[in-house]
Amino acid sequence: MRKSALPVAMVAAVALLAACSGGSDDTTPTAEATSGEGAGAGTSLTVWVDENREPAVAAAAEDFEESTGVTVELVQKNFEDIRADFLAQVPTGEGPDITVGAHDWLGSLIVNGVVDSIDLGETAADFEPVATEAFTYDGQMYGLPYALESVALVRNTALVPEPAPATFDEMIAAGRAAGTKLPFVINTNGTAGDGYNYYALQTSFGAPVFMQEEDGSYTNELGMGGEPGHAFATWLGQNGMAGSGVFSTDWTDEIARQEFADGNAPFAITGPWAITGFQEAGVDFAVEPIPSAGGETAAPFVGVQGFYLSAQSDNALLAQDFLVNYLSTPEAQRALYDADPRVPALLSVAEDVSSDPVIGGFVAQVKNGTPMPSIPEMADVWDHWNAAEAAIISGSSEPVAAWDKMLGDIQSSIGG
């Protein structure tokens, strides 16, 4: 990896400006403070990207190089390998200055001391709030967001021409009226369970997995206990295989997608990963927000993609300049969307691409969503949570008892 320190004169100038700032809290580096022809000559930044996003990052890097004289070296990596490699290499000084990544890596990156905070300044207001919340940990931001992803409701418009009703029960009634084999499908992940896909239904009962601070940061206090959690568990059992049969542990992601693609169900809760298959199957469909089952807003998990700054970067000021003033521009964010279409995190770009009805539907849904917790404690939740939901849906466990056991098991795992 090619890395060198900022030129001595440049460091001194930045330090002097900071000392004479008169108490200003805005420490975000600007293009004027860190650029200018030849200002970074002999300096380089290394950025890890995957194949899909490399061309878009390269365009922003070219502008940055022209403005600053800094060389930006892009290293293409398999996305699946980035987190493990970043955790292994940053402590040795061999990692990149910047890497692309998912927001739910944040807890482990912070625990391992490999990621540094960034300051978006006023630019933060230009992003979807859920995107900036996702990269916020203990009140500080640790990543530049660029794309969002969540599940939503997909409706077969030939089978159900009218927009989905506001409530889940009304949607199921419309699904049954369509006369298909099933009124609705969702990935239950078989007998393993899948809290992720069911989460929007759970939050509509007011039972979030963890509590959040006002800035969006998650605490380690479980939020899905008490009456709201019991109400959701009871409802899940009533609609499971021993009840109305709306939910089934026979469904996997592949089965649920195929049932919808074959016209056997007019409604499905699924994500953008399923869209291409539906299009190839010739299904006419619309993407809409998930109806509420419990009376409150159905808020699915939102996953956010973005860029992290290494805690061991020798050129942190320049790296932050590149993130804040080059990768956050509408042009760069639109290029990232064009390279790998996902819901844009930048509000102006999201508005521009919402004319595509599929993207527009997911944009509407993520506005109702909540970031998937990135705190380390989340790792202790999944197995207990998924198993409890599967047991309730299958009818093998009494709902409230299974839910309370799950909460106890999770609490024991996270401590306290």
Side-chain angles (χ1 to χ4, degrees):
M1 169 183 160
R2 295 178 297 160
K3 294 177 73 172
S4 61
L6 281 167
V8 174
M10 191 176 188
V11 173
V14 172
L16 180 60
L17 285 171
C20 301
S21 61
S24 171
D25 291 330
D26 186 1
T27 58
T28 306
T30 64
E32 290 81 3
T34 58
S35 64
E37 186 175 357
T43 307
S44 68
L45 296 177
T46 298
V47 182
W48 283 0
V49 289
D50 60 348
E51 181 180 7
N52 289 342
R53 286 163 276 208
E54 183 175 8
V57 177
E62 184 177 351
D63 290 341
F64 184 70
E65 289 176 339
E66 291 178 357
S67 296
T68 65
V70 174
T71 299
V72 180
E73 178 185 2
L74 302 185
V75 177
Q76 187 184 118
K77 298 179 69 70
N78 292 326
F79 190 80
E80 294 77 13
D81 299 332
I82 289 178
R83 173 164 53 172
D85 288 354
F86 193 74
L87 285 167
Q89 294 186 32
V90 167
T92 71
E94 296 300 318
D97 298 279
I98 294 168
T99 186
V100 70
H103 91 272
D104 57 330
W105 302 356
L106 184 53
S108 64
L109 298 184
I110 288 178
V111 167
N112 287 278
V114 297
V115 67
D116 202 357
S117 61
I118 68 170
D119 184 359
L120 290 181
E122 295 180 356
T123 304
D126 297 334
F127 290 86
E128 285 283 0
V130 70
T132 52
E133 286 178 11
F135 280 104
T136 299
Y137 193 98
D138 284 343
Q140 295 189 76
M141 276 199 68
Y142 285 87
L144 173 74
Y146 90 86
L148 306 99
E149 183 176 84
S150 79
V151 297
L153 184 73
V154 183
R155 170 175 57 89
N156 184 316
T157 57
L159 295 173
V160 181
E162 297 298 318
T167 71
F168 188 86
D169 287 345
E170 290 173 321
M171 181 200 73
I172 294 299
R176 295 194 190 284
T180 51
K181 171 185 170 183
L182 300 164
F184 159 86
V185 285
I186 184 174
N187 174 24
T188 309
N189 196 28
T191 56
D194 196 321
Y196 172 86
N197 280 282
Y198 279 77
Y199 191 58
L201 303 174
Q202 178 177 320
T203 54
S204 76
F205 282 84
V209 61
F210 285 109
M211 302 301 291
Q212 287 178 274
E213 303 284 7
E214 290 185 7
D215 64 2
S217 297
Y218 278 97
T219 72
N220 62 2
E221 178 187 354
L222 290 171
M224 51 185 177
E227 185 176 343
H230 289 170
F232 171 66
T234 299
W235 175 84
L236 203 60
Q238 290 170 343
N239 287 282
M241 299 168 78
S244 68
V246 169
F247 305 123
S248 173
T249 55
D250 292 336
W251 297 341
T252 62
D253 188 36
E254 182 179 1
I255 289 172
R257 285 199 233 178
Q258 195 63 53
E259 294 284 18
F260 185 85
D262 290 345
N264 294 329
F267 296 103
I269 290 179
T270 189
W273 48 85
I275 296 304
T276 299
F278 297 159
Q279 292 170 332
E280 290 175 348
V283 179
D284 294 325
F285 62 88
V287 178
E288 299 167 327
I290 297 168
S292 174
E296 298 188 24
T297 300
F301 279 137
V302 176
V304 185
Q305 298 277 317
F307 295 88
Y308 288 108
L309 171 61
S310 168
Q312 297 299 320
S313 172
D314 290 337
N315 300 312
L317 284 174
L318 284 170
Q320 171 135 318
D321 183 23
F322 179 57
L323 289 173
V324 175
N325 296 307
Y326 291 83
L327 277 180
S328 69
T329 65
E331 294 78 15
Q333 296 271 318
R334 179 58 192 254
L336 286 162
Y337 168 81
D338 290 338
D340 184 29
R342 302 167 186 252
V343 174
L346 195 67
L347 291 166
S348 61
V349 180
E351 183 177 353
D352 287 345
V353 303
S354 289
S355 57
D356 179 316
V358 172
I359 293 296
F362 281 110
V363 168
Q365 181 64 92
V366 299
K367 288 181 182 294
N368 289 342
T370 186
M372 185 186 296
S374 59
I375 57 176
E377 289 84 355
M378 191 64 196
D380 295 313
V381 171
W382 290 111
D383 288 348
H384 300 300
W385 189 26
N386 292 341
E389 289 199 358
I392 292 169
I393 291 168
S394 71
S396 64
S397 293
E398 194 281 323
V400 171
W403 199 256
D404 284 344
K405 181 180 184 305
M406 171 201 74
L407 292 170
D409 290 340
I410 293 172
Q411 196 64 62
S412 295
S413 296
I414 65 177

